Amino acid sequence: MAATLRFGPADLLRCRFAISPVFETSSAIRLTSPTESPGYHQGWLDALRPRLGALDLRPVTLLQPRRGYTPDFLAPPPTGPQAQFDEDLARLAATPPERVRAEIALSLRDTPGAADSPTGRLLLGDPAEVLRLLTGLLRDAWHLMVEPVWPRVRALLDADIGFQSRRLAEGGLDRLFAELHPTLRWHDNTLTRARGDDDHRDLRGEGVLLMPSVFKWDQVVVVLDPPWQPAVIYPARGIGALWQPAGGTPDAALGRLIGRTRAALLSGLTEPATTTALAHRHALSPGTVSEHLTILRDAGFVVGERHRHEIRYRRTALGTAAAHGGR
C-alpha cells in the first residue's frame, strides 16, 4: 500500500508551505480517543484530562477513523504559513449543509456501527445544526487544549518550515524530500508515502501543499480531494523536544543522570520506533541517535527488534521504570 505524487516541471514552481490551527486542534482532539496513542504528547494530555470532562468531544473523534475518511470540511485548506484560528473556523462554519451531510455519511461508513450509535445518529441529523455543534466543539477545544500552548507549538512549526525551506533553497526537491519524513521516498520525480491507503496522482501543474503538524505526530497524511490542493501533511521535525521538562521533575532528574538527549529519547519511546523516525522527532542526525541508542541498549534500557526490513527500538522494563521516574 502506497501513495504516489508524480511531479512535472510546472509542479516545481507550485510547492508551498502552510500551517493550519484548525487542523492542529482537530488532531489534538483525536488524541483524546482511547484508541489513539498520544506518544510524545502523553504528559500534555494527562495534565489536561481533569478539564476535558467538561467537553464531549465524541462527535469529532467519531469522524476521525484511524484508517478511513475524515471530513475535509473539519479542516479547510490553509491559506498560508500565517493562518489564524478564527479565520479558519469562519471558513469551516460557512460549509454548505449538503456538503456537511455527504462528508459525515462517508466518514461514518468507515467505522462499523458508527452510524447507528447515539453520536452517529446525532451527526446524521439536521446538517446546519450539526455544523454549529462541530464548530462550537472545535472552538472550545482550541481555547482549552491548544491556545494555551500555541506559542510553543507555533514556534516548532515555524522552525520546521524554516529548516525545510532552507533545504529546498540549497538543493531543490531532491534535498527537501530526502529527509522530510522517514515514510516518504523521492525517486524519478515521484514522491511516495510508503504506508497507508493507495492514492496515486499525476500532478500536472497542481503542485503540492506541504504542511507540518505537531499533533498529527505519528503518520503522514496525503490529501488529494478538492477543495484542497494536493497536500502532504507530515509530523514536524523536533516534536520530541516540544515538552521539555522543567528542572526538578523526574524527567529532568533522568536527564542529569544519563544526559538530556538520551533521557528525551528514552522518555519518548512510548512505542517502538526506528533510528530514522527518532532522528526526525528529535531533530538529530541518524548517526547521533544510533550512538545514543547503543549506549541505552548496553545499559539495558532499550532493545532493538527486527520488523521486516527495519530495526525498531523499544524500552525494556528497566527503561520504562527509569523513564517514569521509578513509578
Side-chain angles (χ1 to χ4, degrees), residues 157-282:
L157 295 173
D158 286 342
D160 179 274
I161 290 178
F163 177 84
Q164 308 299 351
S165 297
R166 287 193 298 274
R167 294 179 70 83
L168 179 63
E170 292 166 358
L173 293 181
D174 287 348
R175 183 75 186 275
L176 170 66
F177 290 140
E179 296 181 8
L180 186 65
H181 190 265
T183 62
L184 295 172
R185 299 288 183 271
W186 174 252
H187 177 69
D188 193 24
N189 291 331
T190 299
L191 184 66
T192 301
R193 182 195 61 192
R195 301 168 188 162
D197 297 330
D198 275 322
D199 285 303
H200 308 280
R201 174 72 66 90
D202 192 336
L203 295 175
R204 301 182 185 277
E206 295 174 284
V208 164
L209 168 67
L210 298 168
M211 195 169 88
S213 175
V214 162
F215 292 108
K216 179 67 72 176
W217 70 275
D218 64 339
Q219 58 182 302
V220 172
V221 178
V222 175
V223 182
L224 298 178
D225 297 325
W228 282 71
Q229 176 186 4
V232 176
I233 304 168
Y234 62 94
R237 182 175 179 269
I239 288 176
L242 179 63
W243 311 115
Q244 284 285 344
T249 66
D251 284 349
L254 181 63
R256 292 194 296 272
L257 179 65
I258 65 175
R260 290 182 61 186
T261 301
R262 284 193 284 274
L265 288 169
L266 185 64
S267 298
L269 267 179
T270 56
E271 58 185 32
T274 65
T275 299
T276 52
L278 292 169
H280 180 86
R281 293 171 190 171
H282 292 270

Side-chain angles (χ1 to χ4, degrees), residues 33-261:
S33 171
T35 62
E36 291 293 319
S37 170
Y40 289 85
H41 305 304
Q42 184 68 64
W44 162 83
L45 188 60
D46 288 345
L48 276 176
R49 286 203 186 278
R51 289 174 286 163
L52 286 177
L55 290 180
D56 182 2
L57 297 173
R58 288 174 297 178
V60 179
T61 58
L62 189 62
L63 295 174
Q64 296 179 305
R66 179 70 178 178
R67 292 289 299 274
Y69 174 72
T70 295
D72 291 316
F73 76 83
L74 281 179
T79 55
Q82 304 301 322
Q84 301 296 315
F85 177 81
D86 289 339
E87 296 172 358
D88 283 355
L89 197 68
R91 290 190 294 132
L92 188 158
T95 307
E98 60 273 15
R99 183 180 162 203
V100 172
R101 182 189 298 274
E103 292 189 3
I104 285 177
L106 183 61
S107 179
L108 293 177
R109 283 201 293 269
D110 283 335
T111 303
D116 295 325
S117 68
T119 302
R121 291 195 295 271
L122 173 68
L123 289 168
L124 291 171
D126 178 72
E129 290 293 331
V130 171
L131 181 60
R132 280 192 286 271
L133 169 68
L134 294 173
T135 302
L137 283 176
L138 282 165
R139 181 186 296 108
D140 292 342
W142 162 260
H143 291 311
L144 176 63
M145 302 174 67
V146 181
E147 187 179 30
V149 297
W150 183 243
R152 182 183 295 194
V153 170
R154 179 60 186 265
L156 185 67
L157 295 173
D158 286 342
D160 179 274
I161 290 178
F163 177 84
Q164 308 299 351
S165 297
R166 287 193 298 274
R167 294 179 70 83
L168 179 63
E170 292 166 358
L173 293 181
D174 287 348
R175 183 75 186 275
L176 170 66
F177 290 140
E179 296 181 8
L180 186 65
H181 190 265
T183 62
L184 295 172
R185 299 288 183 271
W186 174 252
H187 177 69
D188 193 24
N189 291 331
T190 299
L191 184 66
T192 301
R193 182 195 61 192
R195 301 168 188 162
D197 297 330
D198 275 322
D199 285 303
H200 308 280
R201 174 72 66 90
D202 192 336
L203 295 175
R204 301 182 185 277
E206 295 174 284
V208 164
L209 168 67
L210 298 168
M211 195 169 88
S213 175
V214 162
F215 292 108
K216 179 67 72 176
W217 70 275
D218 64 339
Q219 58 182 302
V220 172
V221 178
V222 175
V223 182
L224 298 178
D225 297 325
W228 282 71
Q229 176 186 4
V232 176
I233 304 168
Y234 62 94
R237 182 175 179 269
I239 288 176
L242 179 63
W243 311 115
Q244 284 285 344
T249 66
D251 284 349
L254 181 63
R256 292 194 296 272
L257 179 65
I258 65 175
R260 290 182 61 186
T261 301

